[in-house]
Amino acid sequence: MTFWTPDNLQRITDGVWLQRPQASTPIQGLSTDSRAIAPGQVFLALRGERFDGHEYLALAANAGSPVLIVDDERRGNAAAGGDSGPGVLKVTDTRRALLALG
């Protein structure tokens, strides 16, 4: 069994699904860089002093990310894109979620 399941992501990050991912979509790792994301990788939107990963949610979704992990519910809902869009997992803090997943 793989570690990268929707249930594990939710449990480990203590997140809440704004939109669950499609059941048939395989999850194959995690990325925090929308420029280098591979299809199947979860995109975790980190914030820094000069960047905000939430600005790149659409790029990550278009690159094939099946799940977006966010701490900004408004932007997460906007990125969900309906039933055919990626899953969106809302967490309290994406940095803490990254540490928990590590």
Side-chain angles (χ1 to χ4, degrees):
M1 182 173 176
T2 179
F3 169 82
W4 299 104
T5 66
D7 290 337
N8 271 352
L9 291 173
Q10 181 181 24
R11 181 181 54 79
I12 291 168
T13 63
D14 197 27
V16 175
W17 289 109
L18 300 178
Q19 177 168 296
R20 279 195 66 88
Q22 297 177 15
S24 62
T25 305
I27 300 172
Q28 303 172 357
L30 181 132
S31 179
T32 59
D33 186 345
S34 63
R35 299 167 297 179
I37 197 162
Q41 286 185 319
V42 170
F43 177 70
L44 190 138
L46 287 176
R47 296 176 198 261
E49 289 183 25
R50 290 180 246 156
F51 65 90
D52 184 349
H54 293 83
E55 294 176 10
Y56 305 101
L57 295 173
L59 287 173
N62 289 336
S65 179
V67 175
L68 308 172
I69 299 178
V70 302
D71 57 22
D72 183 331
E73 186 169 349
R74 181 184 54 83
R75 287 168 140 176
N77 281 328
D83 292 338
S84 62
V88 180
L89 184 61
K90 200 279 189 191
V91 297
T92 303
D93 182 325
T94 54
R95 287 178 187 238
R96 287 185 190 164
L98 181 60
L99 288 173
L101 289 166

